[in-house]
Amino acid sequence: MDLDVFVSAHRAEWDRLEALLRRRRRLTGAEADELVALYQRVTTHLSLIQSAAPDPQLTGRLSQLVARARSAVTGTRRAGWRDAIRFLVAGFPAAVYRSRHWWVPAALVSTAVAALLGWWIGSHPEVQAAIGAPSELRDLTRPGGEYETYYSSHPAASFAAQVWTNNAQAAAMCLVLGVFLGLPVLWVLFENMLNLGVGAGLMSSAGRLDTFLGLVLPHGLLELTAVFVAAGTGLRLGWTVIDPGPRSRRTALAEEGRAALGMAIGLALVLFVSGAIEGFVTPSGLPTWARIGTGVVAELAFLAYVYVLGGRAVRAGETGDLAAAERSAGVPTAA
């Protein structure tokens, strides 16, 4: 390619695009269409020059021109407090509401599994013996034992932060690993239910199930709900790999994946609340009914948030995905 001839043939288009960019806020409709067309042409020119006759100075000028034109054509959007409010009152609750047919069954089945494990361990001494030596089990379950002191063994603030971090990581694992057909999600769920079942079974065998529930329920209701939501969303993402429905698999995974990543942020906020309850309310001197009542109120508030705000948002067309203006455009569109 003769670079001088190419430049002479297209310099006027480049200069025209630069002139339109200088006054892009005052363009007429026809000029906006012209800007889009010139952007597409200059992008092609840049590609040809880079592949056939790379010239550093010309490539630099056209790269800068294309970048400015892309910003004008696709539009730049700055996230702010309005985006945060939209996410909290519509995007996140809508995403949770839409996935309820996955996380509600996951919650019911998982709770049943934990209850069965707790009954099996609590009613079979040979199983308890396989878990630990009698002296170790006594240290765990006795009044003032390790199950009780666990919640007050560290300063409340640092303990709440540690719990929040661990639970947020577990929820994120469920969301991210769901793409592997959901199988790792099932394992994460089983591990959580096994730990819960072991604790319930051992404390039940010592006649202290009421103490165990008084320690777990204040924070556990909201915490486990967040884990179930993450697991259900991960399972839904895994099923999308198998059956994307009427959408192409690529489109379906992109939409569900973006919604899942948004849910990771929302669930981190939910788990922050449960971590605060676990750090400050669970080990407090409040009566058991008050501690459990705090957990019940937090759980009911979250469910109302999902079913009222989320249901309303879904009926209004919200999916939990990014707004159309925030997604990558397949082709240039006028801002």
Side-chain angles (χ1 to χ4, degrees):
M1 181 176 72
D2 190 319
L3 188 59
D4 292 334
V5 173
F6 189 85
V7 171
S8 298
H10 299 291
R11 185 193 301 274
E13 292 176 302
W14 304 341
D15 292 342
R16 176 57 176 167
L17 177 59
E18 193 160 13
L20 290 173
L21 288 172
R22 280 198 295 268
R23 47 186 298 270
R24 63 182 183 177
R25 297 186 183 279
R26 303 186 303 277
L27 297 180
T28 64
E31 287 173 332
D33 291 338
E34 184 184 4
L35 187 148
V36 173
L38 287 171
Y39 162 57
Q40 294 172 314
R41 287 183 214 159
V42 177
T43 300
T44 303
H45 297 165
L46 176 60
S47 178
L48 289 172
I49 291 172
Q50 288 175 326
S51 60
D55 177 86
Q57 185 175 358
L58 183 58
T59 299
R61 184 202 170 185
L62 293 185
S63 296
Q64 185 181 36
L65 194 58
V66 166
R68 290 171 57 200
R70 182 185 299 114
S71 174
V73 169
T74 61
T76 55
R77 197 169 181 280
R78 296 181 180 176
W81 62 269
R82 288 187 181 87
D83 299 298
I85 291 176
R86 175 185 171 273
F87 172 75
L88 290 175
V89 303
F92 174 56
V96 179
Y97 182 82
R98 285 181 64 236
S99 62
R100 68 192 185 283
H101 297 304
W102 288 89
W103 63 262
V104 171
L108 295 176
V109 172
S110 298
T111 303
V113 168
L116 287 173
L117 286 171
W119 168 81
W120 181 56
I121 292 170
S123 58
H124 291 77
E126 66 276 12
V127 177
Q128 300 167 29
I131 294 174
S135 59
E136 294 174 334
L137 299 183
R138 281 194 299 271
D139 289 338
L140 282 171
T141 59
R142 64 179 174 81
E146 293 181 25
Y147 267 122
E148 291 185 48
T149 58
Y150 167 76
Y151 295 100
S152 56
S153 57
H154 301 284
S158 62
F159 182 70
Q162 179 183 353
V163 167
W164 176 46
T165 302
N166 292 339
N167 291 331
Q169 287 176 344
M173 285 176 60
C174 288
L175 292 168
V176 173
L177 296 178
V179 74
F180 297 103
L181 304 182
L183 297 178
V185 177
L186 296 176
W187 176 249
V188 172
L189 267 182
F190 178 74
E191 275 195 322
N192 277 272
M193 294 306 102
L194 179 60
N195 290 334
L196 185 62
V198 168
L202 293 179
M203 290 291 277
S204 175
S205 68
R208 308 195 66 229
L209 182 60
D210 56 339
T211 301
F212 177 79
L213 294 177
L215 292 171
V216 169
L217 290 181
H219 63 273
L221 290 172
L222 187 60
E223 177 184 298
L224 287 175
T225 299
V227 171
F228 294 146
V229 169
T233 304
L235 292 173
R236 175 177 179 167
L237 187 60
W239 184 252
T240 301
V241 178
I242 301 171
D243 180 15
R247 301 167 292 181
S248 69
R249 183 168 280 103
R250 179 179 179 180
T251 299
L253 283 174
E255 292 176 355
E256 300 301 335
R258 287 192 298 262
L261 289 177
M263 287 181 70
I265 299 173
L267 289 176
L269 297 176
V270 175
L271 288 168
F272 177 81
V273 175
S274 73
I277 294 174
E278 187 169 1
F280 293 94
V281 176
T282 298
S284 71
L286 292 172
T288 301
W289 66 264
R291 288 185 281 114
I292 293 178
T294 301
V296 170
V297 169
E299 173 73 358
L300 292 177
F302 177 70
L303 293 178
Y305 167 72
V306 169
Y307 278 87
V308 175
L309 287 184
R312 182 187 304 161
V314 168
R315 288 188 291 273
E318 179 66 58
T319 64
D321 193 3
L322 293 175
E326 297 174 308
R327 304 174 202 164
S328 298
V331 295
T333 55

